[in-house]
Amino acid sequence: MQVLQVQLEVGPDPAEVGRARRWARKRLAGSGIGDDEPLAETLVLLISELVTNAVVHTGCPAVLRMLFAAEGGVRVEVADSSDRPPRPRHAAGEDTNGRGLELVDGLADRWGWQPEGAGKSIWCEVDRTPAASAPGEGVGSPGRVHC
């Protein structure tokens, strides 16, 4: 299996989320995933959620990585310097926060987290073909990242 990996360093500013989305759109187009494809919109939304969690809850820089498999699947990873694992958090009613990883769980074919260096990496995968696995497989518990 061949994999192409690209990465972007993201500063600890919520404004960096927009830059990460623009960067991701260009990389997706360069990999043959058109901006008009539902897959592109799904991946950009996933990236937005993961990068937002990293910069808002750690206040530290993060690294966004996209890995493109030859079979067409895409893995998104966001590494940050916090070693705290994601904790379940469920938004109630009209709350505007607390839905990030619930959204990731609903959109990704798989997701999870793992220790990385002194911090952690939260990842998700989206297949270009129909998923054979149940959403939410992976290490860790669903929930929004709290640092």
Side-chain angles (χ1 to χ4, degrees):
M1 164 170 58
Q2 267 189 314
V3 175
L4 169 65
Q5 177 178 321
V6 294
Q7 74 177 33
L8 173 70
E9 292 186 19
V10 180
D13 178 352
E16 289 282 87
V17 177
R19 185 172 74 91
R21 282 193 300 261
R22 290 186 298 277
W23 176 86
R25 285 186 188 283
K26 289 179 184 175
R27 297 311 168 280
L28 290 168
S31 75
I33 300 172
D35 208 29
D36 58 343
E37 286 187 52
L39 177 62
E41 286 304 314
T42 298
L43 287 163
V44 169
L45 182 54
L46 290 166
I47 287 164
S48 185
E49 289 300 326
L50 294 180
V51 171
T52 297
N53 281 353
V55 300
V56 168
H57 293 293
T58 69
C60 297
V63 176
L64 164 62
R65 293 186 287 261
M66 291 194 307
L67 296 87
F68 299 92
E71 300 80 34
V74 180
R75 179 178 174 112
V76 172
E77 300 175 357
V78 177
D80 62 50
S81 60
S82 171
D83 63 353
R84 290 179 152 174
R87 290 184 294 167
R89 179 169 174 218
H90 303 286
E94 297 189 25
D95 289 350
T96 57
N97 294 315
R99 293 183 173 85
L101 288 179
E102 286 183 3
L103 186 60
V104 171
D105 186 51
L107 292 174
D109 292 306
R110 290 163 301 285
W111 78 273
W113 72 276
Q114 62 205 26
E116 181 173 313
K120 70 176 168 309
S121 173
I122 298 179
W123 58 268
C124 64
E125 295 176 343
V126 178
D127 299 328
R128 206 156 193 186
T129 58
S133 304
E137 288 182 356
V139 178
S141 301
R144 194 160 173 110
V145 178
H146 292 279
C147 299

